[in-house]
Amino acid sequence: MENKVCLECGEAIKGRVDKKFCSDYCRNSFNNKVNTESKNLIRNTNNRLRKNYKILTELNATGKTKVTRSKLFDRGFDFHFFTSIYTTKTGNTYYYVYNQGYLALENDYYLLIKKE
């Protein structure tokens, strides 16, 4: 019979034949290390989306507002992060962060809208 060792700490494993870790602590520690890189990417992306949503919500209290690009930038808005794109029949492209959308207008203005 083969002596199995814990994948995290290297100690001998007692118990079931298919057991890979000596304790829940070692199992959790091992899995947290394995998934760290992808979790960081997801966490950072969600944080950027959350910040963009907050900015749009604060600036668009009435449901339809016109603001300048610099006003969005000054608050930390990142135009690379949005959840969906909607193009109208007339060719206008709205970018949405959940239910808050924005449309680029002339002279660095943006129309902010809220989808109900």
mmCIF file of all heavy atoms in Angstrom, residues 87-115:
data_model
loop_
_atom_site.group_PDB
_atom_site.id
_atom_site.type_symbol
_atom_site.label_atom_id
_atom_site.label_comp_id
_atom_site.label_asym_id
_atom_site.label_seq_id
_atom_site.Cartn_x
_atom_site.Cartn_y
_atom_site.Cartn_z
ATOM 1 N N THR A 87 -26.687 48.969 -30.159
ATOM 2 C CA THR A 87 -26.646 49.850 -31.324
ATOM 3 C C THR A 87 -28.060 50.011 -31.866
ATOM 4 O O THR A 87 -28.740 49.020 -32.152
ATOM 5 C CB THR A 87 -25.726 49.278 -32.418
ATOM 6 O OG1 THR A 87 -24.430 49.052 -31.847
ATOM 7 C CG2 THR A 87 -25.592 50.238 -33.576
ATOM 8 N N THR A 88 -28.494 51.254 -32.012
ATOM 9 C CA THR A 88 -29.845 51.524 -32.501
ATOM 10 C C THR A 88 -29.906 51.373 -34.015
ATOM 11 O O THR A 88 -28.876 51.246 -34.679
ATOM 12 C CB THR A 88 -30.281 52.958 -32.135
ATOM 13 O OG1 THR A 88 -29.415 53.881 -32.790
ATOM 14 C CG2 THR A 88 -30.240 53.178 -30.633
ATOM 15 N N LYS A 89 -31.113 51.415 -34.552
ATOM 16 C CA LYS A 89 -31.301 51.316 -36.005
ATOM 17 C C LYS A 89 -30.651 52.490 -36.728
ATOM 18 O O LYS A 89 -30.251 52.364 -37.876
ATOM 19 C CB LYS A 89 -32.789 51.259 -36.342
ATOM 20 C CG LYS A 89 -33.445 49.981 -35.901
ATOM 21 C CD LYS A 89 -34.922 49.990 -36.202
ATOM 22 C CE LYS A 89 -35.573 48.726 -35.676
ATOM 23 N NZ LYS A 89 -37.024 48.738 -35.867
ATOM 24 N N THR A 90 -30.550 53.623 -36.041
ATOM 25 C CA THR A 90 -29.939 54.806 -36.655
ATOM 26 C C THR A 90 -28.416 54.801 -36.541
ATOM 27 O O THR A 90 -27.762 55.714 -37.023
ATOM 28 C CB THR A 90 -30.484 56.094 -36.006
ATOM 29 O OG1 THR A 90 -30.225 56.052 -34.605
ATOM 30 C CG2 THR A 90 -31.985 56.244 -36.251
ATOM 31 N N GLY A 91 -27.863 53.802 -35.864
ATOM 32 C CA GLY A 91 -26.411 53.681 -35.774
ATOM 33 C C GLY A 91 -25.790 54.231 -34.512
ATOM 34 O O GLY A 91 -24.571 54.224 -34.365
ATOM 35 N N ASN A 92 -26.590 54.739 -33.579
ATOM 36 C CA ASN A 92 -26.059 55.216 -32.297
ATOM 37 C C ASN A 92 -25.674 54.027 -31.421
ATOM 38 O O ASN A 92 -26.428 53.067 -31.317
ATOM 39 C CB ASN A 92 -27.087 56.066 -31.555
ATOM 40 C CG ASN A 92 -27.362 57.366 -32.265
ATOM 41 O OD1 ASN A 92 -26.487 57.914 -32.935
ATOM 42 N ND2 ASN A 92 -28.575 57.870 -32.140
ATOM 43 N N THR A 93 -24.507 54.108 -30.792
ATOM 44 C CA THR A 93 -24.035 53.017 -29.950
ATOM 45 C C THR A 93 -24.045 53.448 -28.490
ATOM 46 O O THR A 93 -23.342 54.368 -28.103
ATOM 47 C CB THR A 93 -22.608 52.591 -30.355
ATOM 48 O OG1 THR A 93 -22.624 52.213 -31.734
ATOM 49 C CG2 THR A 93 -22.124 51.431 -29.525
ATOM 50 N N TYR A 94 -24.873 52.758 -27.719
ATOM 51 C CA TYR A 94 -24.969 52.988 -26.281
ATOM 52 C C TYR A 94 -24.132 51.926 -25.563
ATOM 53 O O TYR A 94 -24.197 50.757 -25.898
ATOM 54 C CB TYR A 94 -26.423 52.858 -25.794
ATOM 55 C CG TYR A 94 -27.314 53.988 -26.217
ATOM 56 C CD1 TYR A 94 -27.952 53.975 -27.457
ATOM 57 C CD2 TYR A 94 -27.547 55.065 -25.366
ATOM 58 C CE1 TYR A 94 -28.786 55.006 -27.843
ATOM 59 C CE2 TYR A 94 -28.387 56.108 -25.744
ATOM 60 C CZ TYR A 94 -28.997 56.063 -26.982
ATOM 61 O OH TYR A 94 -29.819 57.088 -27.353
ATOM 62 N N TYR A 95 -23.368 52.368 -24.587
ATOM 63 C CA TYR A 95 -22.590 51.458 -23.750
ATOM 64 C C TYR A 95 -23.267 51.426 -22.383
ATOM 65 O O TYR A 95 -23.600 52.481 -21.839
ATOM 66 C CB TYR A 95 -21.146 51.938 -23.610
ATOM 67 C CG TYR A 95 -20.403 51.902 -24.922
ATOM 68 C CD1 TYR A 95 -20.422 52.989 -25.789
ATOM 69 C CD2 TYR A 95 -19.691 50.778 -25.295
ATOM 70 C CE1 TYR A 95 -19.752 52.948 -26.996
ATOM 71 C CE2 TYR A 95 -19.013 50.728 -26.501
ATOM 72 C CZ TYR A 95 -19.059 51.820 -27.347
ATOM 73 O OH TYR A 95 -18.389 51.770 -28.539
ATOM 74 N N TYR A 96 -23.461 50.231 -21.857
ATOM 75 C CA TYR A 96 -24.149 50.082 -20.580
ATOM 76 C C TYR A 96 -23.237 49.477 -19.523
ATOM 77 O O TYR A 96 -22.436 48.591 -19.808
ATOM 78 C CB TYR A 96 -25.374 49.165 -20.725
ATOM 79 C CG TYR A 96 -26.558 49.860 -21.342
ATOM 80 C CD1 TYR A 96 -26.773 49.832 -22.712
ATOM 81 C CD2 TYR A 96 -27.457 50.549 -20.543
ATOM 82 C CE1 TYR A 96 -27.859 50.479 -23.272
ATOM 83 C CE2 TYR A 96 -28.552 51.207 -21.103
ATOM 84 C CZ TYR A 96 -28.740 51.157 -22.450
ATOM 85 O OH TYR A 96 -29.810 51.800 -23.007
ATOM 86 N N VAL A 97 -23.408 49.985 -18.306
ATOM 87 C CA VAL A 97 -22.864 49.363 -17.115
ATOM 88 C C VAL A 97 -24.112 48.967 -16.324
ATOM 89 O O VAL A 97 -24.732 49.801 -15.675
ATOM 90 C CB VAL A 97 -21.976 50.326 -16.305
ATOM 91 C CG1 VAL A 97 -21.420 49.636 -15.075
ATOM 92 C CG2 VAL A 97 -20.852 50.880 -17.174
ATOM 93 N N TYR A 98 -24.490 47.715 -16.501
ATOM 94 C CA TYR A 98 -25.746 47.186 -15.977
ATOM 95 C C TYR A 98 -26.908 47.986 -16.576
ATOM 96 O O TYR A 98 -27.090 47.950 -17.784
ATOM 97 C CB TYR A 98 -25.748 47.133 -14.450
ATOM 98 C CG TYR A 98 -24.566 46.342 -13.929
ATOM 99 C CD1 TYR A 98 -23.544 46.950 -13.230
ATOM 100 C CD2 TYR A 98 -24.473 44.974 -14.179
ATOM 101 C CE1 TYR A 98 -22.449 46.216 -12.774
ATOM 102 C CE2 TYR A 98 -23.381 44.237 -13.730
ATOM 103 C CZ TYR A 98 -22.378 44.872 -13.037
ATOM 104 O OH TYR A 98 -21.304 44.153 -12.602
ATOM 105 N N ASN A 99 -27.668 48.745 -15.791
ATOM 106 C CA ASN A 99 -28.799 49.479 -16.367
ATOM 107 C C ASN A 99 -28.496 50.956 -16.613
ATOM 108 O O ASN A 99 -29.359 51.700 -17.050
ATOM 109 C CB ASN A 99 -30.032 49.350 -15.464
ATOM 110 C CG ASN A 99 -29.868 50.069 -14.144
ATOM 111 O OD1 ASN A 99 -28.749 50.225 -13.649
ATOM 112 N ND2 ASN A 99 -30.965 50.483 -13.555
ATOM 113 N N GLN A 100 -27.288 51.390 -16.366
ATOM 114 C CA GLN A 100 -26.880 52.774 -16.626
ATOM 115 C C GLN A 100 -26.117 52.822 -17.949
ATOM 116 O O GLN A 100 -25.127 52.119 -18.108
ATOM 117 C CB GLN A 100 -25.980 53.297 -15.493
ATOM 118 C CG GLN A 100 -26.660 53.401 -14.155
ATOM 119 C CD GLN A 100 -27.617 54.569 -14.071
ATOM 120 O OE1 GLN A 100 -27.563 55.509 -14.862
ATOM 121 N NE2 GLN A 100 -28.507 54.514 -13.106
ATOM 122 N N GLY A 101 -26.594 53.650 -18.875
ATOM 123 C CA GLY A 101 -25.966 53.717 -20.181
ATOM 124 C C GLY A 101 -25.436 55.094 -20.509
ATOM 125 O O GLY A 101 -25.803 56.086 -19.886
ATOM 126 N N TYR A 102 -24.555 55.124 -21.517
ATOM 127 C CA TYR A 102 -24.045 56.407 -21.996
ATOM 128 C C TYR A 102 -23.846 56.342 -23.506
ATOM 129 O O TYR A 102 -23.567 55.298 -24.080
ATOM 130 C CB TYR A 102 -22.750 56.826 -21.277
ATOM 131 C CG TYR A 102 -21.603 55.852 -21.383
ATOM 132 C CD1 TYR A 102 -20.633 55.987 -22.379
ATOM 133 C CD2 TYR A 102 -21.462 54.812 -20.481
ATOM 134 C CE1 TYR A 102 -19.567 55.104 -22.473
ATOM 135 C CE2 TYR A 102 -20.406 53.927 -20.564
ATOM 136 C CZ TYR A 102 -19.464 54.082 -21.564
ATOM 137 O OH TYR A 102 -18.401 53.208 -21.659
ATOM 138 N N LEU A 103 -24.039 57.495 -24.134
ATOM 139 C CA LEU A 103 -23.916 57.646 -25.586
ATOM 140 C C LEU A 103 -23.003 58.826 -25.855
ATOM 141 O O LEU A 103 -23.208 59.920 -25.302
ATOM 142 C CB LEU A 103 -25.292 57.894 -26.208
ATOM 143 C CG LEU A 103 -25.339 58.339 -27.666
ATOM 144 C CD1 LEU A 103 -24.907 57.194 -28.583
ATOM 145 C CD2 LEU A 103 -26.721 58.816 -28.038
ATOM 146 N N ALA A 104 -21.989 58.640 -26.689
ATOM 147 C CA ALA A 104 -21.086 59.728 -27.043
ATOM 148 C C ALA A 104 -21.808 60.701 -27.971
ATOM 149 O O ALA A 104 -22.411 60.292 -28.967
ATOM 150 C CB ALA A 104 -19.835 59.174 -27.715
ATOM 151 N N LEU A 105 -21.759 61.982 -27.638
ATOM 152 C CA LEU A 105 -22.345 63.041 -28.459
ATOM 153 C C LEU A 105 -21.219 63.902 -29.033
ATOM 154 O O LEU A 105 -20.051 63.593 -28.862
ATOM 155 C CB LEU A 105 -23.288 63.901 -27.604
ATOM 156 C CG LEU A 105 -24.451 63.174 -26.922
ATOM 157 C CD1 LEU A 105 -25.178 64.117 -25.978
ATOM 158 C CD2 LEU A 105 -25.403 62.615 -27.965
ATOM 159 N N GLU A 106 -21.582 64.980 -29.669
ATOM 160 C CA GLU A 106 -20.573 65.897 -30.228
ATOM 161 C C GLU A 106 -19.908 66.716 -29.122
ATOM 162 O O GLU A 106 -20.471 66.887 -28.043
ATOM 163 C CB GLU A 106 -21.249 66.839 -31.237
ATOM 164 C CG GLU A 106 -21.797 66.131 -32.459
ATOM 165 C CD GLU A 106 -22.555 67.084 -33.382
ATOM 166 O OE1 GLU A 106 -22.827 68.236 -32.985
ATOM 167 O OE2 GLU A 106 -22.883 66.662 -34.490
ATOM 168 N N ASN A 107 -18.736 67.245 -29.427
ATOM 169 C CA ASN A 107 -17.988 68.152 -28.549
ATOM 170 C C ASN A 107 -17.693 67.555 -27.169
ATOM 171 O O ASN A 107 -17.777 68.240 -26.152
ATOM 172 C CB ASN A 107 -18.735 69.485 -28.385
ATOM 173 C CG ASN A 107 -18.941 70.178 -29.714
ATOM 174 O OD1 ASN A 107 -18.089 70.121 -30.599
ATOM 175 N ND2 ASN A 107 -20.089 70.814 -29.870
ATOM 176 N N ASP A 108 -17.329 66.276 -27.131
ATOM 177 C CA ASP A 108 -16.963 65.584 -25.890
ATOM 178 C C ASP A 108 -18.068 65.579 -24.832
ATOM 179 O O ASP A 108 -17.794 65.589 -23.634
ATOM 180 C CB ASP A 108 -15.675 66.167 -25.296
ATOM 181 C CG ASP A 108 -14.440 65.563 -25.935
ATOM 182 O OD1 ASP A 108 -14.569 64.530 -26.609
ATOM 183 O OD2 ASP A 108 -13.343 66.114 -25.733
ATOM 184 N N TYR A 109 -19.307 65.555 -25.258
ATOM 185 C CA TYR A 109 -20.431 65.402 -24.342
ATOM 186 C C TYR A 109 -20.942 63.972 -24.405
ATOM 187 O O TYR A 109 -20.795 63.286 -25.419
ATOM 188 C CB TYR A 109 -21.569 66.371 -24.704
ATOM 189 C CG TYR A 109 -21.407 67.727 -24.105
ATOM 190 C CD1 TYR A 109 -20.774 68.757 -24.804
ATOM 191 C CD2 TYR A 109 -21.891 68.011 -22.824
ATOM 192 C CE1 TYR A 109 -20.617 70.005 -24.255
ATOM 193 C CE2 TYR A 109 -21.738 69.272 -22.271
ATOM 194 C CZ TYR A 109 -21.096 70.251 -22.987
ATOM 195 O OH TYR A 109 -20.943 71.501 -22.422
ATOM 196 N N TYR A 110 -21.534 63.542 -23.303
ATOM 197 C CA TYR A 110 -22.137 62.220 -23.227
ATOM 198 C C TYR A 110 -23.557 62.333 -22.699
ATOM 199 O O TYR A 110 -23.821 63.100 -21.767
ATOM 200 C CB TYR A 110 -21.330 61.296 -22.298
ATOM 201 C CG TYR A 110 -20.091 60.771 -22.955
ATOM 202 C CD1 TYR A 110 -18.925 61.529 -22.971
ATOM 203 C CD2 TYR A 110 -20.084 59.537 -23.586
ATOM 204 C CE1 TYR A 110 -17.780 61.057 -23.576
ATOM 205 C CE2 TYR A 110 -18.952 59.063 -24.201
ATOM 206 C CZ TYR A 110 -17.807 59.828 -24.198
ATOM 207 O OH TYR A 110 -16.681 59.353 -24.816
ATOM 208 N N LEU A 111 -24.452 61.567 -23.286
ATOM 209 C CA LEU A 111 -25.814 61.467 -22.810
ATOM 210 C C LEU A 111 -25.869 60.260 -21.889
ATOM 211 O O LEU A 111 -25.540 59.146 -22.296
ATOM 212 C CB LEU A 111 -26.794 61.281 -23.980
ATOM 213 C CG LEU A 111 -28.251 61.041 -23.601
ATOM 214 C CD1 LEU A 111 -28.831 62.267 -22.931
ATOM 215 C CD2 LEU A 111 -29.049 60.665 -24.838
ATOM 216 N N LEU A 112 -26.262 60.477 -20.641
ATOM 217 C CA LEU A 112 -26.414 59.391 -19.686
ATOM 218 C C LEU A 112 -27.877 59.030 -19.588
ATOM 219 O O LEU A 112 -28.737 59.902 -19.469
ATOM 220 C CB LEU A 112 -25.908 59.812 -18.300
ATOM 221 C CG LEU A 112 -24.481 60.364 -18.208
ATOM 222 C CD1 LEU A 112 -24.142 60.660 -16.752
ATOM 223 C CD2 LEU A 112 -23.484 59.413 -18.818
ATOM 224 N N ILE A 113 -28.173 57.740 -19.662
ATOM 225 C CA ILE A 113 -29.564 57.285 -19.568
ATOM 226 C C ILE A 113 -29.642 56.097 -18.612
ATOM 227 O O ILE A 113 -28.661 55.400 -18.380
ATOM 228 C CB ILE A 113 -30.140 56.893 -20.945
ATOM 229 C CG1 ILE A 113 -29.341 55.754 -21.559
ATOM 230 C CG2 ILE A 113 -30.199 58.079 -21.874
ATOM 231 C CD1 ILE A 113 -30.045 55.076 -22.700
ATOM 232 N N LYS A 114 -30.833 55.901 -18.097
ATOM 233 C CA LYS A 114 -31.087 54.761 -17.223
ATOM 234 C C LYS A 114 -32.144 53.891 -17.880
ATOM 235 O O LYS A 114 -33.230 54.378 -18.222
ATOM 236 C CB LYS A 114 -31.548 55.221 -15.845
ATOM 237 C CG LYS A 114 -31.786 54.085 -14.884
ATOM 238 C CD LYS A 114 -32.185 54.596 -13.517
ATOM 239 C CE LYS A 114 -32.397 53.414 -12.578
ATOM 240 N NZ LYS A 114 -32.806 53.874 -11.248
ATOM 241 N N LYS A 115 -31.823 52.612 -18.046
ATOM 242 C CA LYS A 115 -32.767 51.672 -18.645
ATOM 243 C C LYS A 115 -33.634 51.108 -17.528
ATOM 244 O O LYS A 115 -33.145 50.621 -16.532
ATOM 245 C CB LYS A 115 -31.990 50.540 -19.340
ATOM 246 C CG LYS A 115 -32.852 49.582 -20.108
ATOM 247 C CD LYS A 115 -32.132 48.584 -20.973
ATOM 248 C CE LYS A 115 -30.762 48.179 -20.557
ATOM 249 N NZ LYS A 115 -30.212 47.057 -21.322
#
